[in-house]
Amino acid sequence: MKLISCQIINFGKLHNFNWQFKPGLNTIFAENGWGKTTLTAFIVVMFYGFENEHKRNLVDNERKRYRPWQGGAYGGKLVFATAGKKYLLERTFGVRRKEDHFALYDAVTNLPSNDFSSKLGEELFGIERASFENTLFIAQQNCQTDVTPGINAKIGNLASEQADMNSYQLVQEKFKDYLNHLTPKRKTGELYQLRAKIAKIKVDLERQPAIMKQVKENKQQLAVFKQQYEQLQQEQLKLQETLRQSSQNQDQQLLQKKYQLLNEQKLQSEKKIKLIKQNFLGKVPTLTEIEQQQKIAEQIKIIKKTTAESFTVAAHERLEGFKQRRFSQLTAAKLTEMTAKNRQLQILKQQQQSKLSDIELTRLKAAQIKFSQHAVTESELEHLADLISQRQSLLSQLEKQQLAWQTWQQATTGEYRRSRSNTPTKSPFWILGSVLSFVLGILLFKSSLIFSICLILLGILILGWKFSSSMSNTTEKSAPQLSELEMQIKDLKQQIEKITLQLKQKLQQLDFDWPLTAAATELAKLKSEYLDFQQLQQRQDQTISAADLKQQQMLQTELANFLNYYQATKKETTNSEYSILLQQLQYEFQEYQQLLQKSLQVQSDQQRQQQLLQEQQRFFVELRQPISQSSATLQGIRDQVLALQQQQQQLDNIKVEIADFISKNKLTQPKSDQAVAEETSSLSKLTEKLTLLKQQADQKRTQCWQINDHLDKLQQQVVWFEELAEQRDELQQKESQLFTRYQTLMATSKYLAAAKNNFSARYMNPIMQNFKHYYQQLTQESAQQYRLDAELNLTAGAYGKQHQLELLSEGYQDLLGICRRLSLIDAMYQQEKPLIIFDDPFVNLDAEKLQGGLNLLQELVKDHQVIYLTCHTSRTIEKNITSLKLSTE
């Protein structure tokens, strides 16, 4: 079997990597970090897929570990040949196994092939991945090998029984685990623990006879205490009967006294009821009737107070005045109608007042002609004003900066001092000029905003220049300031040129040929004309017609008649006062409606008051009491009725109690005081004796309870001993069964090991011969000191004793591991030779052994295709080989 080519789309850090393999030796030389191990992992994964996919550790989980660093498709292609046919293998990998894609094609026909399944590695090499990595894949720092069941099966040409060989190891491990679990020699063994439990139970059962003896003794003692307790109970019953007879005689005396007391209470209640009834000559009212009369008295009081406060004499006179003015005929709808007509009248008057005169019409026509030639809008005028204002402001700043520059220059050259000596100290012309600029700017602020601002700025500039001319600082420090002023002047000139160009373009667009010096004045004049034009145009649109004038006269007449009818006008009423008079009439109408409503409510309240007074009079007549509207009188009657009801209820209760007392008790003739005293003395003695008997009985009963409690505890132990005996029998039976199973498993394990060793022993000699051949090839030494056992494990002999290979140096361990792997490969593949992957396995060898390893590679390529990866030229056969570079595209 041979590899022909590979294409890695994305795998780990490898991206768009292509490689053509050749028969024999394929050396891949690249520096550390290039991705040599990633390339070998790609080849293994393409044949066997990923392993350890469920592990969280990124290093152990191959799917996560080799996920492309740069993203994109995950996978690649392999072209290989076996059994005279060429195949193209494609695999792409997703986040999970179910997202993976596997495809196999005939590389000649490019048609899908079913010669192999997705388990390509097992079918192609005849071994699972673990066996492949222990034989055909020899990695750096991992040259030692473990003989897996798959290797054993392949060596014996038992590929179909590989599952049985794999199962052997699993069965032996399970045997070992289960025997350790059952062993009677360790504390963790189940047999050991069962025998310990049985021994402990036997020790506990030795106490059972003593417990049974205690149970018997406690039962006998309990029977004696129960007999004594029953005797005391009989004596108590006899004494209680005697006490009952004595207490009945005393109860008769107490009943007689209670009967007399009840009769006395009955007489007292009857006397109190009689006294209360004397206060009522007529019938006795109920509490409900009294409460009803109290409510009536309160209602009468409220009605009187409300009537007096809500409708005064002045309010009554005001209502009568409204009635005389015919307000009873007026409605809210009529008022609303007349108010709407008044609004309509006012609108018509306003339209009449806005009519244009002849002079105004002439001005309007001239303005229409002018503004039809220039497409002027209010926003255009505002924009033009902004441009002019910006230009004026920049010119003022420029003039100020130029004046300052001249001042500094004169001070620097000395001319300023000479001119200053010839100039008077005080100059009234400068002060007068600045004051005039300020005054004119303030006066023209409302008429021409831009011009006034310019005058004010001019005054400021004059004062600033005068102030700067009075300074005498002419030191050499003026030079930097002059340079800064020159830069500012240059910048201002550029800004002025830019804003002037914009202003000229705007004036040309609006078809105005104003000079720039008079632009502010012309603009103010144009804005005034435009405002006058808009006002005249609006007034012309509102001119009244002849029909509207006629309607105005009709509305005026109708409003005057309406106001006169309800006496709402003055002697001389103008049209402008209609709105005020209508509003006043509306307020008066609302007041009239409120007064009318109050008047009706007062009449209703007075009628209700008369009805309540009549009902109150009837109540007092029935009681034969003097008529009174006082709440205190009604409260006094209520208190008397409550007292009468309480006494009547008390009398009824006493009568019921007497009747119950007579029915429940049989009264006899009362005894003398001496007889009662003798019975009382005898009763006390009987009571003392009964108390003593109860104490003795309670003592016996407590003793019985204590013995019962102790017996319960003993009985629990008896039950526990019985359960222990059952548990002992079950454990002994289980121990016997487990021991039999333990012996059977021991024998079976030994038999399987012997059979397996016999099977492996047949191939020991060919493998050992191959090992010696490869060892001599590598070291030029004999391999007589090494021995191979039936499990194909290698040991080293020294000083008359065999030793494990782990005791040797890393270099010798790697050397022996390589020879052992190659000998196993020869035994496994006797017909078609597979490829062998060497991932820099000679790194721990010295120079002499390294040369032997390179010679060994040249011998292997005679029968095998070898893929050899290394990072150093000292470990390559071709000394002038070029190192591969990692693509970053």
Side-chain angles (χ1 to χ4, degrees), residues 630-837:
S630 173
S631 300
T633 302
L634 292 170
Q635 185 62 35
I637 295 172
R638 185 176 184 277
D639 293 340
Q640 290 180 1
V641 171
L642 283 173
L644 178 61
Q645 289 181 350
Q646 291 175 358
Q647 291 299 325
Q648 189 66 47
Q649 182 65 35
Q650 186 176 356
L651 178 60
D652 293 341
N653 292 339
I654 292 171
K655 288 179 179 180
V656 172
E657 190 175 357
I658 290 172
D660 291 342
F661 186 80
I662 293 173
S663 63
K664 292 179 181 179
N665 303 289
K666 295 181 180 179
L667 298 178
T668 59
Q669 292 294 330
K671 295 183 179 181
S672 62
D673 295 337
Q674 183 178 359
V676 172
E678 290 177 356
E679 289 182 357
T680 303
S681 175
S682 176
L683 187 61
S684 62
K685 291 179 180 180
L686 291 172
T687 304
E688 290 176 0
K689 187 176 180 180
L690 180 61
T691 302
L692 180 60
L693 287 173
K694 285 184 176 180
Q695 290 176 355
Q696 293 175 353
D698 290 341
Q699 185 178 2
K700 293 298 178 183
R701 183 173 57 185
T702 302
Q703 292 175 345
C704 290
W705 287 347
Q706 291 174 350
I707 293 174
N708 271 325
D709 290 341
H710 189 54
L711 274 173
D712 289 341
K713 293 178 182 178
L714 291 174
Q715 193 63 36
Q716 290 176 1
Q717 292 187 27
V718 171
V719 174
W720 181 64
F721 283 130
E722 292 174 353
E723 292 175 351
L724 277 180
E726 293 177 359
Q727 188 177 358
R728 177 199 58 196
D729 296 340
E730 292 176 358
L731 290 176
Q732 287 177 344
Q733 184 179 0
K734 184 177 181 181
E735 187 272 341
S736 177
Q737 294 173 351
L738 287 178
F739 187 69
T740 302
R741 186 183 303 172
Y742 177 75
Q743 291 177 325
T744 304
L745 288 174
M746 286 286 290
T748 304
S749 178
K750 291 179 181 179
Y751 176 78
L752 285 175
K756 187 259 182 184
N757 291 335
N758 291 333
F759 174 79
S760 301
R762 289 182 293 170
Y763 308 101
M764 289 171 54
N765 187 47
I767 293 174
M768 190 61 191
Q769 292 301 323
N770 291 332
F771 170 78
K772 291 178 179 180
H773 169 73
Y774 289 122
Y775 182 80
Q776 186 176 7
Q777 184 78 24
L778 265 171
T779 64
Q780 302 301 317
E781 297 174 359
S782 174
Q784 296 300 325
Q785 70 270 31
Y786 298 104
R787 184 182 301 172
L788 190 69
D789 61 20
E791 293 182 354
L792 303 182
N793 292 319
L794 196 66
T795 57
Y799 301 101
K801 186 178 179 181
Q802 294 300 123
H803 302 277
Q804 299 295 325
L805 298 184
E806 287 78 3
L807 301 176
L808 302 177
S809 67
E810 290 187 1
Y812 256 96
Q813 289 185 43
D814 288 350
L815 186 148
L816 295 172
I818 294 171
C819 294
R820 186 183 176 201
R821 285 191 181 217
L822 294 175
S823 64
L824 290 174
I825 292 172
D826 288 345
M828 292 165 61
Y829 299 97
Q830 298 178 7
Q831 296 180 2
E832 185 178 9
K833 300 298 183 179
L835 65 89
I836 304 176
I837 302 173

Side-chain angles (χ1 to χ4, degrees), residues 276 354 387 407 460 542 554 591 608 649 717 751 842:
I276 295 172
S354 63
L387 293 175
T407 303
I460 293 171
Q542 296 177 352
M554 292 174 61
E591 183 182 359
R608 176 63 179 162
Q649 182 65 35
Q717 292 187 27
Y751 176 78
F842 305 136

Side-chain angles (χ1 to χ4, degrees), residues 11 223 272 394 590:
F11 194 86
K272 290 179 180 179
L394 292 171
Q590 291 176 356

